[in-house]
């Protein structure tokens, strides 16, 4: 008999299998991959300038204000390759030497990295830089087409980090600066600071911050339409070493904290300190047991009604035990607010023979509730501001800033799980599709220079495409979104790209299966076009199916024309076929039958097929088709058809002969012997492979023939380095010794000598000689040329 244990084991296995199936739907791969050479983006970078990591969009000025290392730029927001102005902001030699004397690298650390840019009003901006580990802030203006640094420098401690590579965050709210960074050179004193007429800061205590890494800050107008008379909140996201868990090593967790905008600190307790600071853990659960994921970036999708606002966050793994490296989770503002306003607190307790433990606080809470903003209930009790809060409430919040409950994501699980390169930054665009619905499209940057575009359809995360933005694979350090344009910054440059390029989809099926909210197939003009931003302007002839990916409405396409290719025996042949999608399965058919993937005869790869050592049996028709599955339907497209035709040996021989004839005729023509004849017309139709082979054979044969001809002429003595000019010795045939041929006349008294010269030439295979006799009669020379064919050496 089977024990109950076996039943529970089987049941547990079934549950895990179902859970894995559900989670695997979240782990997607991009449907399209656009390489750097094909991205068609606009770039900006200047030689010698690095770390383009701070951006401020000034829509009113039409500018993208860009902060880099020791420089600030004003770029045209429509074309960032156009730099309208530049302001250098370098460190002094004294500051650089002082920084170097403290053990920092002079050319890396001891420079001025612009880390903060905020708009204060229509004409004034606030900028801060690391300034060689001596943070400094200043004001900057833009007028008459140029940037100007005002020169009113302020101490930047608590506003800007000392270390240029340390994460920090800030936000400007009603000209009050909220910043999260470090207060000291070593980076060991973290702080959330408000720079205002009434400055506030956090308490330097491990229960408040324990080696944090600040990521993001923003304000939520919770006072709007609040029946409780609540205050606006500033939310901040960070990671830190957990104090509430027992672990053999430091365990990093992700947090969200908030403070009230109207906080003024305490009267006696928490003077000049936040009285409304609360924090809690952010949960981004994974399908398998693992360490908590670490938050890397956050984007606030604002809504007209703040209760519908959503925070999207990127997380990365801190464990090597899982191959799921990154995740994206989304959180409702109301869920976060609920934890802070009604959740339980954690408290420290001392346990014998052990360290301090953090447990849920079950005691009675002081009134007003610790950490709460000054609302109508507090005002009715005579508490008009935080300075009026009782010490009991302030002491409690000083010792209990941590909440017991964690904030869960909207769907209870990540929207996206990713393997491979880590995700670094994200922005989210709310897109209206042709069906009248709005879909949040997530753009996430990666550590190797890609941007991925993804959208979640009823719990299914679909990655539409990934685009490589930087050639040298730099991590994406900053992402900004503005009016259908995406701006990405890295260490080496800045890129501007449209949120969607519908022209990348060449067919109706490709356009519809992309499930891109920005794009739809226009049946009238037969191309993939941008969907109008207003649903009422959407055309009825647009074909788009985002939820179902239904391409059955697409018109039938024209059949693919076969391409004829020549099969040369013994050669390797490549046939190209590019699928439209990474999700499609490519199938090759030969003579109506599928080609096996594991055959040594063929290699099927993502760009086509290789046929090795082609034989006569490989001739025939090859068909490349792609099959892409969407919502239970298979969509098959024929991508390419090749007719591979064998080239017979006789044809190859004829072509070789023809090529040899052409070459020899060209040679004799260049020698001036006779005019070449026109080559046969069919030689013009040689394939590139055949022409190359024929050319190689022809050159080899011609080289051998020329070598043999040269050797034979040298052997026969037909070629001599001495030509018939002037007095010349004759090299006799058969390599006989040189000798002079002299003839003496009968008249010895006059001592007249007659010289006979012999010149050798070739004419129709016969040896001809020309005798020149110079006879001097007095002072008048007479040239007589006597030509005679010689058939025997004895005649010489």
């Amino acid at each position: 008999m089977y024990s109950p244990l076996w039943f529970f084991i089987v049941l547990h296995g079934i549950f895990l299998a179902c859970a894995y199936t559900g989670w695997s739907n979240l782990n997607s791969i991009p449907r399209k991959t656009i390489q750097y050479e094909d991205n068609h983006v606009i770039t900006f970078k200047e030689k010698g300038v690095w770390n383009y990591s701070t951006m401020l969009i000034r829509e009113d000025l039409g500018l993208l204000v860009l902060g880099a290392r020791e420089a600030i730029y004003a770029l045209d927001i429509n074309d960032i390759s156009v730099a309208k102005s530049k302001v250098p902001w370098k460190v002094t030699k004294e500051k650089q030497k002082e920084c170097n004397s403290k053990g920092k690298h002079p050319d890396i650390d001891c420079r001025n990295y612009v880390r903060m840019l905020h708009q204060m009003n229509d004409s004034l901006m606030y900028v801060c830089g690391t300034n060689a580990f001596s943070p400094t802030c200043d004001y900057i203006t833009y007028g008459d087409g140029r940037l100007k640094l005002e020169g009113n420098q302020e101490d930047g401690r608590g506003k800007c980090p000392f270390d240029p590579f340390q994460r920090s965050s800030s936000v400007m709210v009603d000209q009050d600066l909220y910043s999260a960074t470090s207060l000291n050179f070593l980076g060991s004193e973290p702080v959330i600071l408000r720079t205002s007429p009434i400055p506030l800061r956090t308490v330097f205590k491990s229960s408040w911050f324990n080696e944090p890494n600040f990521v993001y800050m923003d304000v939520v107008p919770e006072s709007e339409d609040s029946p409780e008379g609540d205050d606006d909140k500033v939310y901040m996201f960070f990671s830190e070493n957990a104090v509430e868990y027992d672990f053999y090593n430091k365990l990093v967790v992700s947090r969200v904290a908030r403070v009230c905008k109207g906080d003024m600190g305490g009267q006696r307790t928490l003077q000049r300190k936040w009285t409304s600071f609360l924090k809690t853990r952010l949960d981004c659960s994974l399908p398998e047991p693992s360490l908590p994921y670490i938050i890397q970036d956050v984007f606030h999708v604002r809504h007209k009604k703040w209760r519908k606002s959503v925070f999207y966050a990127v997380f990365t793994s801190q464990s090597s035990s899982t191959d799921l490296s990154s995740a994206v989770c989304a959180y409702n503002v109301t869920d976060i607010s609920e934890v802070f306003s009604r959740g339980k607190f954690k408290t420290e307790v001392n346990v014998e023979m052990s360290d301090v433990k953090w447990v849920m606080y079950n005691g009675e809470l002081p009134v007003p509730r610790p950490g709460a903003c000054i609302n109508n209930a507090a005002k009715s009790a005579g508490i008009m501001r935080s300075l009026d809060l009782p010490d009991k409430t302030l002491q409690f919040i000083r010792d209990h800033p941590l909440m017991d409950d964690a904030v869960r994501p909207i769907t209870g699980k990540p929207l996206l799980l990713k393997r491979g390169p880590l995700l670094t930054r994200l922005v989210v665009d709310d897109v209206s599709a042709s069906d009248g619905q709005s879909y949040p499209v997530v753009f996430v940057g990666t550590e190797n220079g890609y941007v991925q575009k993804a959208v979640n359809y009823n719990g299914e995360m679909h990655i539409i495409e990934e685009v490589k933005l930087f050639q040298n694979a730099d991590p994406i350090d900053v992402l900004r979104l503005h009016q259908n344009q995406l701006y990405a910054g890295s260490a080496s440059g800045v890129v501007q790209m449209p949120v969607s390029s519908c022209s990348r989809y060449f067919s109706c099926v490709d356009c519809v299966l992309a499930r891109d909210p920005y794009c739809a197939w226009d049946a009238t003009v037969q191309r993939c076009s941008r969907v109008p931003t207003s649903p009422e302007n959407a055309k009825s002839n647009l074909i788009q199916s985002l939820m179902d990916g239904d391409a059955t409405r697409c018109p039938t396409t024209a059949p693919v024309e076969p391409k004829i290719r020549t099969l040369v025996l013994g050669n390797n042949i490549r046939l190209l076929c590019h699928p439209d999608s990474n999700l499609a399965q490519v199938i090759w058919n030969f003579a109506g039958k599928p080609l096996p993937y594991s055959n040594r005869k063929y290699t099927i790869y993502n760009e086509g097929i290789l046929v090795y050592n082609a034989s006569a049996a490989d001739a025939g028709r090859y068909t490349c088709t792609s099959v892409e599955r969407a919502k239970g339907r298979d969509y098959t497209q024929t991508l390419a058809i090749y007719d591979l035709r064998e080239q017979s040996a006789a044809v190859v021989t004829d072509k070789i002969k023809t090529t040899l004839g052409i070459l020899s005729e060209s040679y004799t023509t260049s020698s001036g012997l006779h005019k070449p004849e026109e080559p046969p017309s069919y030689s013009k139709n040689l394939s590139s492979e055949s022409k190359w082979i024929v050319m190689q054979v022809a050159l080899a044969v011609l080289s051998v023939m020329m070598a043999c001809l040269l050797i034979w002429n040298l052997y026969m003595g037909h070629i001599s380095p001495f030509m018939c000019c002037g007095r010349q010795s004759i090299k006799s045939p058969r390599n006989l010794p040189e000798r002079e041929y002299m003839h003496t006349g009968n008249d010895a008294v006059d001592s007249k000598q007659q010289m006979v010269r012999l010149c050798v030439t070739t004419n129709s295979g016969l040896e001809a000689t020309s005798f020149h006799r110079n006879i001097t009669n007095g002072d008048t020379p007479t040239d007589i040329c006597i030509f005679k064919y010689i058939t025997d050496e004895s005649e010489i």
Side-chain angles (χ1 to χ4, degrees), residues 16 45 96 293 299 332 362 372 394 406 425 441 453 461 561 584 610 621 627 646 650 693 724 774:
L16 288 178
K45 59 182 177 181
Q96 197 169 17
Y293 272 38
F299 186 82
N332 274 328
N362 290 314
L394 296 177
R425 303 290 185 270
V441 180
K453 180 171 65 174
M461 180 59 79
E561 292 293 330
L610 282 174
R621 172 160 292 189
V627 180
E646 180 186 358
I693 295 172
C724 304
N774 300 327

Side-chain angles (χ1 to χ4, degrees), residues 501-522:
S501 297
C502 301
S503 58
R504 289 187 180 131
Y505 309 118
F506 299 106
S507 66
C508 177
V509 174
D510 187 26
C511 181
V512 175
L513 293 184
R515 301 167 71 187
D516 190 338
Y518 297 99
C519 302
W521 183 260
D522 192 329

Side-chain angles (χ1 to χ4, degrees), residues 107 141 170 181 238 247 259 337 359 426 495 509 598 614 617 631 695 703 770:
D107 293 327
T141 59
S170 60
T181 184
F238 59 98
F247 203 65
V259 294
S337 180
V359 297
L426 90 163
V495 165
V509 174
S598 58
K631 291 294 184 179
M695 183 64 70
S703 300
S770 173

Side-chain angles (χ1 to χ4, degrees), residues 361-374:
Y361 179 80
N362 290 314
E364 185 178 352
L365 291 178
V367 178
R369 179 182 169 90
C373 299
I374 306 301

Side-chain angles (χ1 to χ4, degrees), residues 101 144 172 180 184 209 221 226 314 333 367 427 449 501 561 604 615 661:
S101 66
D144 299 326
M172 189 73 73
N184 62 348
F209 288 124
S226 174
V314 166
V333 170
V367 178
V427 292
S501 297
E561 292 293 330
I604 299 175
S615 62

Side-chain angles (χ1 to χ4, degrees), residues 580-599:
D580 295 331
S581 168
N582 295 331
L583 305 179
Q585 180 184 4
V586 176
I587 299 175
W588 281 89
N589 286 277
F590 172 58
K593 297 181 180 179
L595 282 177
Y597 278 78
S598 58
N599 196 325

Side-chain angles (χ1 to χ4, degrees), residues 98 120 287 296 307 314 336 387 410 518 521 532 537 545 561 567 571 578 615 642 670 733 750 757 784:
E98 180 184 346
M120 299 195 69
Q296 300 296 332
R307 291 178 178 83
V314 166
I336 301 175
L387 293 170
I410 294 174
Y518 297 99
W521 183 260
N537 296 331
S545 179
E561 292 293 330
L567 184 150
N571 273 17
H578 299 276
S615 62
Y642 295 95
S670 64
D750 295 333
R757 294 175 183 172
I784 303 175

Side-chain angles (χ1 to χ4, degrees), residues 152 528 633:
N152 301 325
C528 198
R633 294 189 183 93

